Amino acid sequence: MKDNEGVRVGVPEMFGSLVFGDDEMKKRLPEEVYQRLKRTMAGHSLDPAIADAVAAAMKDWAIEKGATHFTHWFQPMTGITAEKHDSFIHPVDGGHVIMEFKGKELVKGESDASSFPNGGLRSTFEARGYTAWDPSAYAFLKDNTLCIPTVFYAYGGEVLDKKTPLLRSMEAINKQTLRILKLFGNEDVQRVMVTVGAEQEYFLISRKKYYQRQDLVICGRTLFGARPPKGQEMEDHYFGTIKPRVKEFMADLDEELWKLGIPAKTEHNEVAPAQHELAPVFGDCNNSLDDNQLTMEIMKKVARRHELACLLHEKPFEGINGSGKHNNWSLSTDTGINLLEPGDSPSENAQFLLILCAVIQAVDDYQDLLRASVASASNDHRLGGNEAPTATLSMFLGEELTEILETIEAGEDYEQKDRKLMKVGVHILPRFPQDTTDRNRTSPFAFTGNKFEFRMPGSGSSISDPDVMINTIVAESLCQYADELEKAVSEGKDFHTELEALIRRVIKAHKRIIFNGNNYSEEWKAEAERRGLPCLRTTVDALPAYLAEKNVEVFTKHHIFTKSELESRFEISMETYCKTINLEALTMIDMAYKEILPAVSAYVKDLTEIAMRQQSLGMMVCDGADGLDGADVDSGESGCAKSFGSFEASLAAELTRLQARTYKALRKLEEVTAKAHALSNITEKGAACRDEVLPAMAALRKEADAMERLTAEKYWPYPTYTKLLFYV
């Protein structure tokens, strides 16, 4: 591997070389400034007095690396990142320039708040918005530009991005977890961090073929496409040998990510053909968000370099597995303790159980919010399709941990082969190796040893949304527990007695959310309904959770969102859903009119001409024998056909029938799309898209895909699934 100057370096030397990280800060900043900045990064307020020194050091480092510009890098409600580049140049006398970067430019920037999704928080004429430096995230270099991670908010202070609520939720869970740890005597812990690792699934296809598909270019997924003869049924792609071209892409991607300090660790083939996965090492939740946004961007950039296209849509191909983004979530202290691991002492075990109960209660109490956090038009194609978690929330804990909770609820002893327990906080909990139980890939929210894996997020989405939800709702559970236990202690009650009663009560009240079986089974669907677990199948069903009174209350209580900010997020998400469906419908209409129907007509014309030519020559098709003018064959009992050119004529007739049905479905799609688009109420529009436009799209696709199966490949206007998935 080579650095920017072409000098060969090892991975440790190259890792983080494009990041203004701790080593660079320590080397370039005065000691006092460095210490103050570190305090800010640990959660204290920014000291404005250090801004100029930090800006100068950043600028010098960036220029040495070849940078000429800087940008405030932020994450608006589009779900992707945004940036406006400014150069370092500053004019001086004599027509000269110097390279300058002031503290005020580092700390604050300005953008057009009305041009980004805002859900009614800003009018078009109210354009002013601001970006503000997030000192808890490292600045980095990308394309010779110094990128400064920032938050984004409106002139009136309203939140317009995905980073600000995440930072707030991290602070909320830090505050409430510290209260719990203090009750257990952990006075040395100063901060609790949310740690996250986002496993990223994606598809790689030929870039040339990608550009030949209007639906892929515009919508990110194939709106038409007959299933290929082979899909994933042979189970030969998952963890299979990586193709040389893909391996070259992965090696190049690793290098790009490592330079940015992104700890890309694991890469392999996924289940579907042309599908792959990249998994990083866990990190701080905020930096993991930045890392994943960069990873998605760089995947696409590196793919272009290799004449490939990287698809991050949740369901780019019908009939084979789609792509998710498994969000691995845990809590760790600044003393290096993972709070979702049992300890060696009774106190540590009781603490683990209480935090575990907080997650169980949170998922049960706020199932609707977790579902809403992953809701999108694209993810609706994946959830509940027996390839990903169902749209019903449940938690997998594994047999051993579930049995322990059951014995606690019953007030009984739990027996393990090599030891015996327990009363909470008295006896030692058995150690749980990470592989103490089998993995459950059908579970939406699974405990996997020392973390929870939330498997519902879609591959192209920001992890901010689900992590904001998890952080906030777990913080609420912990807040309730801290309130109760602090009150009991202040009243002189026995802490362990109150703790055990609390844990037992929580298990009994929320055990309905625990399910260790097959989430895909029909039996579970019936059982989930019996338990009262909601099944929010579509985005339109899920998004009203943002407006539910209990959910508004939890967000406002912990200062994550105001009510108006929640309303704006509902509006933005529903509007995005409607826009996505409308765009896909219009693309289908365009493709059908301009390419698919004309292509089939051309094929039918040629088939008809062949059939007519055969008829003019007097050719007949018989069972077992052909003849000209009937001279050599019997047109009676020998089995000769009464009609001429049977293959061409029959196929032309069948395609003509399909064309008529396709045209009818096309006109229906036009009608319902226009009707839905004309609706002004966003909720009604969303329902119309779900109930009328999507079924009409499916009906059109069914007829068009049937035509594709019968149309000669040279006539069909688009690369087939076989060419897209297997010719990489």
Side-chain angles (χ1 to χ4, degrees):
M1 297 177 183
K2 298 180 180 180
D3 63 13
N4 289 351
E5 285 73 44
V7 178
R8 193 160 190 84
V9 295
V11 174
E13 294 76 21
M14 177 261 294
F15 189 85
S17 58
L18 297 182
V19 179
F20 190 68
D22 194 66
D23 288 345
E24 288 294 337
M25 290 191 297
K26 196 168 187 177
K27 180 171 66 175
R28 294 173 180 271
L29 293 172
E31 179 64 22
E32 183 182 356
V33 173
Y34 170 76
Q35 293 299 336
R36 286 162 135 184
L37 181 57
K38 292 295 288 183
R39 277 177 52 80
T40 300
M41 296 180 73
H44 295 275
S45 298
L46 173 66
D47 182 353
I50 69 172
D52 280 337
V54 175
M58 274 189 188
K59 181 258 300 179
D60 291 344
W61 169 79
I63 289 174
E64 288 173 18
K65 294 282 187 178
T68 56
H69 289 68
F70 69 93
T71 182
H72 276 198
W73 185 78
F74 60 103
Q75 300 176 32
M77 291 297 294
T78 56
I80 57 177
T81 58
E83 50 196 62
K84 179 184 73 172
H85 296 192
D86 289 295
S87 70
F88 289 121
I89 66 167
H90 179 73
V92 293
D93 293 340
H96 301 290
V97 297
I98 60 173
M99 304 298 268
E100 188 175 71
F101 186 45
K102 296 288 190 181
K104 63 180 181 180
E105 295 174 297
L106 167 64
V107 172
K108 190 176 182 180
E110 186 173 335
S111 185
D112 189 339
S114 64
S115 295
F116 289 100
N118 61 75
L121 288 175
R122 305 291 289 158
S123 299
T124 301
F125 65 88
E126 296 174 313
R128 194 181 296 277
Y130 299 107
T131 52
W133 177 34
D134 171 18
S136 65
Y138 292 127
F140 58 91
L141 284 179
K142 180 168 67 76
D143 300 327
N144 290 327
T145 301
L146 174 65
C147 297
I148 302 155
T150 60
V151 298
F152 181 45
Y153 58 96
Y155 180 74
E158 301 90 351
V159 174
L160 297 175
D161 71 339
K162 291 182 177 286
K163 180 182 272 271
T164 304
L166 183 70
L167 295 173
R168 290 174 175 175
S169 71
M170 291 167 62
E171 189 53 44
I173 198 168
N174 167 62
K175 177 182 177 181
Q176 302 306 329
T177 310
L178 286 176
R179 293 175 66 193
I180 294 294
L181 296 182
K182 186 177 180 181
L183 285 164
F184 283 92
N186 295 306
E187 302 286 350
D188 57 328
V189 178
Q190 300 299 310
R191 190 156 191 84
V192 174
M193 288 83 68
V194 179
T195 56
V196 168
E199 303 169 23
Q200 180 70 55
E201 294 178 342
Y202 61 98
F203 281 83
L204 287 177
I205 63 171
S206 161
R207 190 154 199 84
K208 181 179 179 181
K209 294 181 176 65
Y210 166 82
Y211 279 126
Q212 293 170 356
R213 299 251 352 180
Q214 182 181 343
D215 47 6
L216 280 175
V217 172
I218 294 177
C219 305
R221 75 178 181 106
T222 53
L223 302 173
F224 298 102
R227 295 187 183 187
K230 178 187 177 184
Q232 61 192 49
E233 64 276 359
M234 297 303 293
E235 300 168 339
D236 55 346
H237 192 257
Y238 188 57
F239 276 34
T241 302
I242 300 172
K243 294 179 180 179
R245 187 179 181 186
V246 175
K247 183 60 182 173
E248 290 172 5
F249 160 83
M250 289 179 171
D252 198 359
L253 176 63
D254 281 342
E255 231 181 286
E256 295 286 343
L257 296 178
W258 290 341
K259 288 177 184 177
L260 287 167
I262 300 173
K265 178 73 172 177
T266 304
E267 53 201 21
H268 60 84
N269 290 347
E270 254 299 335
V271 171
Q275 187 185 33
H276 313 278
E277 181 179 296
L278 180 146
V281 179
F282 284 39
D284 161 77
C285 186
N286 184 30
N287 285 294
S288 292
L289 168 64
D290 290 353
D291 287 353
N292 187 250
Q293 292 294 127
L294 280 169
T295 295
M296 291 191 287
E297 177 187 335
I298 293 168
M299 277 179 166
K300 293 184 176 183
K301 182 173 74 173
V302 173
R304 284 194 293 270
R305 199 181 298 164
H306 291 265
E307 291 302 314
L308 296 166
C310 176
L311 307 181
L312 294 174
H313 193 283
E314 283 75 6
K315 193 72 171 179
F317 303 102
E318 190 174 86
I320 63 173
N321 277 13
S323 296
K325 176 150 38 197
H326 301 168
N327 190 85
N328 295 277
W329 181 95
S330 191
L331 292 173
S332 295
T333 68
D334 56 359
T335 57
I337 304 300
N338 184 330
L339 296 176
L340 284 177
E341 275 196 53
D344 292 319
S345 71
S347 177
E348 289 172 330
N349 294 329
Q351 179 180 284
F352 160 75
L353 285 171
L354 187 63
I355 292 173
L356 178 69
C357 283
V359 181
I360 294 171
Q361 178 177 334
V363 175
D364 188 26
D365 283 345
Y366 296 98
Q367 302 167 53
D368 54 346
L369 273 181
L370 287 172
R371 174 65 181 92
S373 75
V374 300
S376 68
S378 53
N379 211 19
D380 282 356
H381 296 291
R382 169 179 163 263
L383 293 178
N386 286 4
E387 61 174 71
T390 64
T392 300
L393 263 293
S394 68
M395 296 179 70
F396 170 83
L397 297 182
E399 291 182 10
E400 186 173 16
L401 190 50
T402 302
E403 287 176 9
I404 289 171
L405 296 183
E406 288 171 349
T407 59
I408 293 173
E409 182 193 359
E412 300 171 352
D413 285 348
Y414 172 78
E415 294 188 11
Q416 193 183 30
K417 292 180 181 178
D418 59 344
R419 69 182 77 179
K420 183 178 179 180
L421 59 134
M422 68 187 293
K423 286 186 179 177
V424 178
V426 178
H427 296 292
I428 296 180
L429 198 66
R431 294 301 300 231
F432 294 104
Q434 290 193 8
D435 298 325
T436 187
T437 187
D438 198 3
R439 293 182 65 196
N440 189 334
R441 297 190 66 206
T442 71
S443 177
F445 208 97
F447 184 69
T448 55
N450 59 1
K451 57 182 170 56
F452 279 97
E453 182 182 32
F454 187 32
R455 303 185 67 250
M456 295 179 79
S459 58
S461 63
S462 167
I463 62 172
S464 169
D465 297 323
D467 283 321
V468 167
M469 300 300 179
I470 299 171
N471 295 347
T472 304
I473 63 180
V474 174
E476 172 59 17
S477 296
L478 293 172
C479 180
Q480 293 177 20
Y481 301 167
D483 287 346
E484 180 176 336
L485 293 172
E486 286 170 354
K487 184 174 183 292
V489 170
S490 70
E491 294 173 351
K493 296 178 182 178
D494 180 69
F495 172 72
H496 292 292
T497 301
E498 297 299 316
L499 173 65
E500 185 168 353
L502 171 60
I503 290 175
R504 183 175 292 121
R505 189 175 71 245
V506 171
I507 294 169
K508 184 176 182 179
H510 299 285
K511 62 183 179 182
R512 68 169 186 165
I513 200 69
I514 300 170
F515 178 66
N516 294 327
N518 180 8
N519 284 254
Y520 298 164
S521 68
E522 292 300 319
E523 292 79 10
W524 167 239
K525 292 178 183 178
E527 172 64 15
E529 186 175 355
R530 187 191 67 78
R531 294 187 187 188
L533 304 179
C535 181
L536 304 173
R537 289 184 173 84
T538 71
T539 295
V540 178
D541 301 320
L543 290 180
Y546 280 108
L547 308 180
E549 185 177 349
K550 71 178 181 68
N551 299 336
V552 173
E553 183 179 339
V554 74
F555 281 122
T556 55
K557 174 182 176 179
H558 294 282
H559 308 290
I560 312 301
F561 294 116
T562 64
K563 184 177 180 180
S564 61
E565 288 169 347
L566 285 168
E567 291 169 346
S568 77
R569 272 157 171 73
F570 168 80
E571 291 284 334
I572 291 168
S573 298
M574 190 68 83
E575 187 176 27
T576 300
Y577 175 85
C578 295
K579 286 179 177 178
T580 300
I581 302 301
N582 186 65
L583 178 62
E584 290 182 347
L586 293 178
T587 303
M588 288 190 84
I589 292 167
D590 203 50
M591 293 172 72
Y593 269 130
K594 294 181 178 178
E595 297 190 86
I596 292 176
L597 287 174
V600 175
S601 291
Y603 187 39
V604 168
K605 173 178 175 290
D606 288 354
L607 287 171
T608 303
E609 288 179 355
I610 293 171
M612 292 176 66
R613 190 160 55 245
Q614 290 173 336
Q615 184 175 9
S616 69
L617 293 172
M619 297 177 65
M620 299 179 68
V621 180
C622 310
D623 263 344
D626 291 337
L628 293 173
D629 298 322
D632 301 318
V633 294
D634 182 357
S635 61
E637 296 180 0
S638 66
C640 286
K642 296 285 186 181
S643 59
F644 295 91
S646 64
F647 164 69
E648 289 80 6
S650 297
L651 187 53
E654 176 63 19
L655 282 170
T656 299
R657 285 192 292 271
L658 285 171
Q659 268 190 305
R661 293 206 294 263
T662 300
Y663 181 64
K664 182 179 179 180
L666 176 57
R667 295 303 301 269
K668 178 65 175 178
L669 179 58
E670 282 187 294
E671 176 190 333
V672 297
T673 300
K675 178 183 173 183
H677 188 64
L679 294 171
S680 57
N681 181 284
I682 194 65
T683 302
E684 292 176 1
K685 183 179 288 190
C689 288
R690 175 195 62 193
D691 299 334
E692 298 183 49
V693 180
L694 280 173
M697 290 170 62
L700 174 57
R701 176 171 188 157
K702 178 182 176 182
E703 304 300 346
D705 288 356
M707 290 195 299
E708 180 186 339
R709 294 185 187 96
L710 299 179
T711 302
E713 188 171 332
K714 72 174 184 177
Y715 291 87
W716 196 252
Y718 306 113
T720 63
Y721 270 25
T722 298
K723 293 292 177 67
L724 290 169
L725 293 168
F726 295 98
Y727 285 58
V728 180

